[in-house]
Amino acid sequence: MTKIDILQMGSYPEWDETVLDRLYRMHRYDQAADKAAFLAEIGPRIRGVATRGDLGISGEVVAALPRLEIVSVYGVGYDAVDLNACRLRGVAVTNTPDVLTGDVADLAVAMWLAATRQMVEAEAWARSGSWAANGARPLTRRAHGKRAGILGLGRIGRAIGNRLAGFDMQISYSSRVQKPTPGWAYVPDPMALADASDVLFVALAATPQTRHVVSAPVLAALGPEGLLVNISRAANVDEAALIDALVTGKLGGAALDVFDNEPILDPRFRDLPGLLMQPHIGSATVETRKAMGQLMRDNLAAHFSGQPLLTPVLARQT
C-alpha cells in the first residue's frame, strides 16, 4: 500500500519520528536548505501536515500544498497556524489538548511557589557556601492563603484553580463567560482581576483579541507586591511593559515559561529583579510528550481512515 505523504514542519522526539516514518512518507521541511524549491517539488503530493504549536504553518506554505487535507498540531496552542488560510481551503486542523493540562498546571503552581519563596535563590545561597559564610537569607512572603487571579478559565486555568484550592487561596477568574465555579469569584475585567489578586496566572489561548491583554495598566493594578505567572503564550503579555514594570518596581515579580522570540530572549531579562524564568517546559515530561505524539498521530489516522477527528480545531470542509 502506498504511503500517504506528510509534511513535517519541525523535529519530534525519536519515539514519534520512528512511528511517523513507519506509517507515512515523511518530508521534513525544517531540514530543507532551499524551502521554496523543496515545496515546489513535494508540495503537490502532500495530503497532511504534522507541526508543533510553536511552529504552526503559514498561509504561504498552505498555498503551496494543493492537496492538503489536514494540519495536525503537536501542542495545545495553534496560534501559529494560519487558520484563515486553512478555513478558506477547507483544511482540517487538530491539536492535542487535555493530555498536557496537568503538567502545565503543575508547572504554574511550582513557578508561583518557587518565585514567592525565592527557592532558586535560596538553593544557590546554600550551594555556594553563602549560608555558612553569611547566615540566613532575608525572609520571603507567605504563599498560601493569598488572593489568586486566573486569566482564562479553560482546561488549564481550571486545573490551576483546583490545585490552588488546596492552598486555601481566595480564587477569582476572568473568562469570556461566567462558569460554574462554586466559591470562585467571576471578575470579567482583567484590570479589576489584577487589582483583586496577589498573584495573577495567565492561562489564556492566544488570539488577536488577547494580544497584550496583560498591559501596563493591568501590571500596575497587580502592583509592587504582586506576582505575574505566565504559562500560556508570550503574546498575551506586553513584554516591554512587563520589563519596565519590573525595572521600576511597579510589579513585584514575574514567573515566565514563555517569551517573545524564544529562545532568543530580550537581553534585559538576564538582570531583572524578581524574575523566575523557565525555557518553555510546561508540557515537557516524558509522559505528556508521548501522549501528545500519540494524539497527533491518532488525529491523522482518524482523518485518513474517514473517522471523526478526536480533537478538531477546524473540521474539514469539502
Side-chain angles (χ1 to χ4, degrees), residues 28-306:
R28 290 178 168 80
Y29 181 80
D30 60 315
Q31 297 178 9
D34 186 336
K35 291 178 169 46
F38 178 70
L39 288 177
E41 178 188 352
I42 59 94
R45 304 199 304 271
I46 297 297
R47 294 177 59 193
V49 166
T51 187
R52 303 195 312 249
D54 59 321
L55 298 175
I57 183 172
S58 68
E60 290 76 13
V61 175
V62 171
L65 310 176
R67 297 182 63 199
L68 182 62
E69 302 170 18
I70 182 171
V71 173
S72 190
V73 179
Y74 174 95
V76 68
Y78 48 85
D79 46 295
V81 175
D82 191 327
L83 291 180
N84 188 54
C86 292
R87 188 180 290 109
L88 290 174
R89 286 275 308 280
V91 174
V93 179
T94 64
N95 66 341
T96 60
D98 294 323
V99 295
L100 50 70
T101 296
D103 278 341
V104 175
D106 285 350
L107 184 68
V109 173
M111 289 167 63
W112 158 61
L113 289 171
T116 300
R117 297 301 302 271
Q118 298 179 10
M119 294 173 65
V120 175
E121 298 89 338
E123 198 273 347
W125 187 262
R127 185 181 293 273
S128 68
S130 294
W131 185 16
N134 302 311
R137 279 180 49 78
L139 301 178
T140 61
R141 292 284 187 170
R142 174 181 290 173
H144 74 272
K146 299 291 187 175
R147 302 173 303 162
I150 304 172
L151 187 54
L153 203 71
R155 297 175 179 91
I156 293 171
R158 188 179 290 272
I160 291 170
N162 289 337
R163 284 156 172 74
L164 295 177
F167 289 89
D168 299 322
M169 304 288 279
Q170 176 185 316
I171 299 172
S172 304
Y173 70 95
S174 286
S175 187
R176 284 176 295 178
V177 296
Q178 188 170 0
K179 300 188 177 183
T181 51
W184 300 2
Y186 177 55
V187 183
D189 178 64
M191 192 179 305
L193 179 69
D195 188 56
S197 303
D198 299 307
V199 53
L200 181 65
F201 293 86
V202 186
L204 288 164
T207 68
Q209 292 72 36
T210 66
R211 178 172 174 79
H212 291 182
V213 64
V214 180
S215 59
V218 170
L219 295 168
L222 189 54
E225 293 187 0
L227 174 69
L228 178 75
V229 179
N230 188 12
I231 47 77
S232 60
R233 281 289 190 263
N236 290 328
V237 176
D238 184 335
E239 195 166 276
L242 172 61
I243 292 172
D244 178 72
L246 290 170
V247 169
T248 61
K250 295 175 184 176
L251 179 67
L256 309 175
D257 187 43
V258 288
F259 301 85
D260 288 339
N261 304 314
E262 59 185 45
I264 309 302
L265 307 186
D266 188 312
R268 291 176 293 174
F269 276 121
R270 296 172 187 165
D271 301 314
L272 283 177
L275 176 64
L276 174 73
M277 297 192 295
Q278 298 290 287
H280 204 152
I281 59 169
S283 65
T285 68
V286 171
E287 296 89 344
T288 284
R289 291 293 171 87
K290 286 187 174 182
M292 287 166 59
Q294 184 67 57
L295 183 52
M296 176 191 67
R297 295 193 304 274
D298 286 348
N299 274 305
L300 289 172
H303 170 76
F304 291 120
S305 63

Side-chain angles (χ1 to χ4, degrees), residues 7-22:
L7 179 65
Q8 182 178 327
M9 302 303 293
S11 63
Y12 298 117
E14 183 179 356
W15 55 69
D16 289 317
E17 302 245 353
T18 299
V19 179
L20 285 169
D21 285 336
R22 176 168 53 83

